[in-house]
Amino acid sequence: MAMSEFGIVYAVHIITVQFGSVVSKVCECLLRKGPLSSRDISRLAESDINHNHVKDILYLLIQHNCVQAFSIEPPDGSENKAIVQYIVLFNNIVHRVRYNKFSRLVNEELGTECGAVLDGLLSNGRLTLGQLIERDRDSGKTIGSEAIRDSLQKLVAARFVERIPSPEPVLGNKEQEPAKKRGAKAAKILKEPETLEERVVEAATPVDAIRFPLIFEEDANSSLAVDDSNITEGKRKQRDVDSSDPSSGVIWRPNFEEFIHRLRHKACVEIVKERRDEGCAIVLRAMLEVGRSQEKKVKTDNSAPMSIGSIYEEVIKTEAGRTMLQERVEACLDQLSATSSYLPAFVTEMNDSYIVDFKSIISVAQKDEIEAVVMRRYGKEAFRMFRYLSQEGRFVETDKIADAALTEKKDTPQFLLKMWKDGYLHMQKLAITGTYVPFLLWKVNKLIVTRQMLDEMYHASLNLNLRLAHELESEKELLMLPSDKLEGPLKERVKKVKAKRLLLSSTMFKLDDAIMLFHDF
């Protein structure tokens, strides 16, 4: 999905707060102009930044996974060298406000020691094992080099941490690539990435054996060990982790894709829990665990097929699922497979196997979010019209909408025009012979509405961030006072400031969940 205006402004704000205004100028230049060379950036950025300073800023943004370098292969016969260009990674910038969510996921699943290692990577962008150990030694609460090593091993095994991508992938020149003849079915499967950013990310991403290397494997015969297979298992356990350890030289970074993958699964479970029941949520969670390893991308529409036996085996591994008999699990699967006028099937049954329909689950939550906004902004009458058009999925004339939504025909055009002006409806005019007034047709275009919603959410999130920063800045001196000096009115003021900060923070947290629902899931 293309970046919206407020999406760009929001990303620039995040960079400004965390790295300063000069760095944000370079980032904004890339966001608005697209991929550029370092010299083009120094020429186009709206600031007096010399070329060397631009290069330093780009290295900083690469260190923090906000920019990726790449080059495009020159055409055959050309004597020109490939020019290194830099592309901004919009998603990774927005992920920076989600670090607390990522830390919570790891703390819940792998424990606080793994959480501490992850926090080091989140705050520094990229680190080697040796740098993680040095950082731990310099901290007030050291957990030890062996704990760091074990924690990093767990994070890599869970795919929360990955080896850094290729520093400068070379893309093939699309203009000279021969067009391959494929059938319709093959074309769908072998579809190329849609955007240049996706092409660059795909080219930079190494294969899984390199991306998640088993460098900690203690099996001396492991083919994926890092050139130290001559060390015996006993010596391997006894040796200290130091700079001579081959694993210390590997540079690691957080794997944002896996975090979004897990958050998407959690969101799906919550959606099913709200719209079905606790039992269905337990079964769906088990299905997601069974099929997770086979999901190759975050935005997959359907899971791999799974048998009732494998689902039940996963259900009884959890404390909540141990009380469920297989008969109850089958009943939950029937519930999840059922359709109604308000809910689609969340699970598809096929040849004694079950497939999770992620697209249906996410679309239900998206529809509820959009309808809630329409209700608040335009009222019940407009809400009924919008819901009717959403269900129809086609162009409908004004009078039919009025009849279906049970509204006055004279008032209906006003409601429809308001929603159309704000981008929530698509309008089509039909000229009819013999009449001066055009015949109006209306439709909900989900793609346009989704983009509109997303842009509004970026705008709202930006405003909340600015408001929180203003509140904290205006009361900075008060918040710096020691607690023993806070008495009477001052104590009450501090309570109000903290309550306001908590309200704004929790609102931003929930709003970001909605942004992920429309943009990442």
Side-chain angles (χ1 to χ4, degrees), residues 137-303:
R137 285 172 184 160
D138 295 339
S139 68
K141 297 179 180 178
T142 181
I143 60 175
S145 60
E146 284 302 322
I148 294 285
R149 184 185 179 88
D150 291 343
S151 298
L152 185 56
Q153 177 180 359
K154 290 176 186 176
L155 287 165
V156 174
R159 301 203 166 194
F160 287 129
V161 167
E162 63 181 356
R163 186 183 284 202
I164 62 168
S166 171
E168 189 189 307
V170 179
L171 301 187
N173 194 316
K174 290 193 80 173
E175 292 179 3
Q176 67 184 36
E177 285 178 7
K180 296 180 181 178
K181 292 183 179 179
R182 298 190 184 108
K185 188 175 180 181
K188 287 181 182 177
I189 297 170
L190 302 172
K191 184 172 66 174
E192 283 203 69
E194 295 177 355
T195 65
L196 179 60
E197 181 180 341
E198 287 172 335
R199 287 182 68 207
V200 171
V201 170
E202 185 180 347
T205 304
V207 296
D208 283 358
I210 298 173
R211 189 180 178 191
F212 308 105
L214 303 179
I215 62 164
F216 306 98
E217 189 68 56
E218 293 190 353
D219 179 8
N221 297 319
S222 172
S223 61
L224 295 177
V226 184
D227 299 326
D228 59 350
S229 56
N230 59 329
I231 300 175
T232 64
E233 185 175 346
K235 289 181 181 177
R236 197 185 296 267
K237 285 182 179 178
Q238 290 172 6
R239 71 181 179 187
D240 292 329
V241 179
D242 56 26
S243 58
S244 64
D245 189 343
S247 64
S248 298
V250 178
I251 305 174
W252 305 98
R253 72 170 190 175
N255 178 17
F256 296 132
E257 187 181 70
E258 183 64 24
F259 286 109
I260 297 300
H261 193 184
R262 302 292 182 102
L263 289 172
R264 188 185 196 229
H265 281 188
K266 284 187 75 172
C268 287
V269 171
E270 287 302 314
I271 292 164
V272 168
K273 186 177 178 180
E274 287 175 13
R275 286 153 184 82
R276 292 298 186 187
D277 58 32
E278 181 71 35
C280 288
I282 292 169
V283 172
L284 182 75
R285 189 182 291 112
M287 294 178 77
L288 298 179
E289 285 295 323
V290 172
R292 181 192 295 164
S293 61
Q294 297 180 59
E295 292 177 37
K296 301 302 179 187
K297 58 180 182 177
V298 174
K299 288 187 179 181
T300 184
D301 289 344
N302 298 289
S303 72

Side-chain angles (χ1 to χ4, degrees), residues 287 290-291 294 302-308 310-311 348 350-356:
M287 294 178 77
V290 172
Q294 297 180 59
N302 298 289
S303 72
M306 53 197 85
S307 66
I308 180 66
S310 61
I311 296 168
T348 306
M350 188 174 64
N351 300 328
D352 296 327
S353 294
Y354 295 89
I355 298 168
V356 178

Side-chain angles (χ1 to χ4, degrees), residues 256-456:
F256 296 132
E257 187 181 70
E258 183 64 24
F259 286 109
I260 297 300
H261 193 184
R262 302 292 182 102
L263 289 172
R264 188 185 196 229
H265 281 188
K266 284 187 75 172
C268 287
V269 171
E270 287 302 314
I271 292 164
V272 168
K273 186 177 178 180
E274 287 175 13
R275 286 153 184 82
R276 292 298 186 187
D277 58 32
E278 181 71 35
C280 288
I282 292 169
V283 172
L284 182 75
R285 189 182 291 112
M287 294 178 77
L288 298 179
E289 285 295 323
V290 172
R292 181 192 295 164
S293 61
Q294 297 180 59
E295 292 177 37
K296 301 302 179 187
K297 58 180 182 177
V298 174
K299 288 187 179 181
T300 184
D301 289 344
N302 298 289
S303 72
M306 53 197 85
S307 66
I308 180 66
S310 61
I311 296 168
Y312 186 63
E313 187 179 327
E314 188 64 40
V315 166
I316 59 176
K317 286 180 182 178
T318 63
E319 189 176 344
R322 288 191 191 108
T323 59
M324 297 178 72
L325 301 175
Q326 185 164 322
E327 187 179 336
R328 170 71 174 126
V329 172
E330 289 173 355
C332 289
L333 288 169
D334 288 340
Q335 268 186 279
L336 291 167
S337 305
T339 59
S340 69
S341 56
Y342 295 103
L343 284 178
F346 293 150
V347 167
T348 306
E349 184 179 0
M350 188 174 64
N351 300 328
D352 296 327
S353 294
Y354 295 89
I355 298 168
V356 178
D357 190 339
F358 291 108
K359 192 173 181 180
S360 290
I361 298 172
I362 298 298
S363 65
V364 165
Q366 289 176 340
K367 183 173 76 71
D368 287 353
E369 285 284 342
I370 294 168
E371 289 181 353
V373 170
V374 171
M375 171 73 91
R376 286 196 303 270
R377 189 172 295 180
Y378 307 106
K380 289 182 181 179
E381 292 85 355
F383 163 73
R384 290 199 298 269
M385 295 176 201
F386 186 87
R387 170 171 276 189
Y388 168 70
L389 288 170
S390 295
Q391 291 171 343
E392 288 295 304
R394 60 182 177 86
F395 281 105
V396 182
E397 58 266 32
T398 309
D399 287 350
K400 276 193 177 180
I401 296 170
D403 293 338
L406 304 174
T407 54
E408 292 289 336
K409 289 189 177 180
K410 61 182 177 65
D411 297 330
T412 302
Q414 296 174 6
F415 287 115
L416 293 170
L417 281 167
K418 280 182 184 177
M419 290 189 282
W420 170 70
K421 285 177 181 177
D422 290 343
Y424 284 84
L425 292 181
H426 187 48
M427 180 178 69
Q428 187 173 328
K429 293 182 180 181
L430 290 180
I432 300 175
T433 307
T435 62
Y436 293 103
V437 180
F439 192 65
L440 299 181
L441 299 174
W442 309 87
K443 177 186 176 183
V444 172
N445 187 319
K446 190 180 176 185
L447 182 61
I448 293 172
V449 172
T450 299
R451 285 176 178 168
Q452 177 69 22
M453 281 280 295
L454 199 53
D455 198 44
E456 290 178 4

